[in-house]
Amino acid sequence: MNFGRRYTLPMKMSHKDIAYSNSSQSLSASEDDDKEDCKRKSRNASEKKRRDQFNILINELCAMVSTKSRKMDKSSVLKATIAFLRQHNELTVRSSKSGIEEGWKPSFLSDDEFSTLMLEALDGFMLVISQIGRASCRERV
């Protein structure tokens, strides 16, 4: 019994039909090879673009954290960046504990810049006001 299955009966083919069939199969294989080649080239191009972008970013980091004139390898750049960020975080924690209030500090200055400017200003003069309102100014401290 068949149960709905269809079978094709063999047909007689001429030499022209066989030649056409073989050429269409070779065109199909050639098109598949072209598609695969195109996909491979596209993947290679996108991978090269990704590597180039990564190298640009590594070079930018190197310029920011390098204190040496010699070129650093990628792992050294990343290690120096990690060390810089750790140091920066520690300074941020310390400055927040020291309590420089944001209310009277200009917003465009960082805490370090503000501290430096204050120390430079104190190098020039000192103004002392007593509790009763008497003012005293010294030029050299």
Side-chain angles (χ1 to χ4, degrees):
M1 292 196 159
N2 186 328
F3 297 111
R5 296 184 189 149
R6 295 186 181 179
Y7 296 102
T8 58
L9 298 174
M11 293 179 40
K12 292 185 179 180
M13 296 177 80
S14 68
H15 292 290
K16 290 180 185 177
D17 292 336
I18 293 172
Y20 177 75
S21 174
N22 287 341
S23 68
S24 67
Q25 288 174 354
S26 67
L27 281 177
S28 175
S30 175
E31 288 174 358
D32 287 343
D33 290 343
D34 289 344
K35 286 181 182 178
E36 289 299 318
D37 190 45
C38 184
K39 285 181 183 178
R40 183 179 50 79
K41 286 181 181 178
S42 176
R43 279 192 305 267
N44 289 347
S46 63
E47 180 63 20
K48 182 180 181 336
K49 184 178 177 182
R50 186 194 64 78
R51 282 192 317 266
D52 289 344
Q53 181 65 28
F54 179 76
N55 288 332
I56 288 170
L57 294 172
I58 288 288
N59 288 335
E60 285 182 29
L61 278 175
C62 182
M64 290 180 188
V65 298
S66 177
T67 58
K68 303 171 186 169
S69 61
R70 68 179 177 92
K71 186 171 178 166
M72 299 170 68
D73 65 335
K74 293 175 186 175
S75 63
S76 298
V77 171
L78 292 174
K79 286 177 187 176
T81 303
I82 290 169
F84 172 80
L85 289 173
R86 281 186 180 148
Q87 181 183 13
H88 178 72
N89 287 340
E90 288 173 10
L91 288 174
T92 303
V93 168
R94 275 194 236 145
S95 68
S96 66
K97 287 180 182 177
S98 68
I100 297 176
E101 293 182 28
E102 297 294 324
W104 57 277
K105 179 184 75 102
S107 60
F108 58 88
L109 290 176
S110 70
D111 288 345
D112 291 335
E113 292 170 332
F114 180 73
S115 296
T116 303
L117 287 174
M118 287 301 290
L119 290 174
E120 287 177 6
L122 289 175
D123 191 35
F125 68 95
M126 181 174 76
L127 178 66
V128 179
I129 301 175
S130 69
Q131 289 179 343
I132 59 173
R134 193 169 132 199
S136 161
C137 181
R138 303 273 176 161
E139 213 168 299
R140 305 262 175 194
V141 181

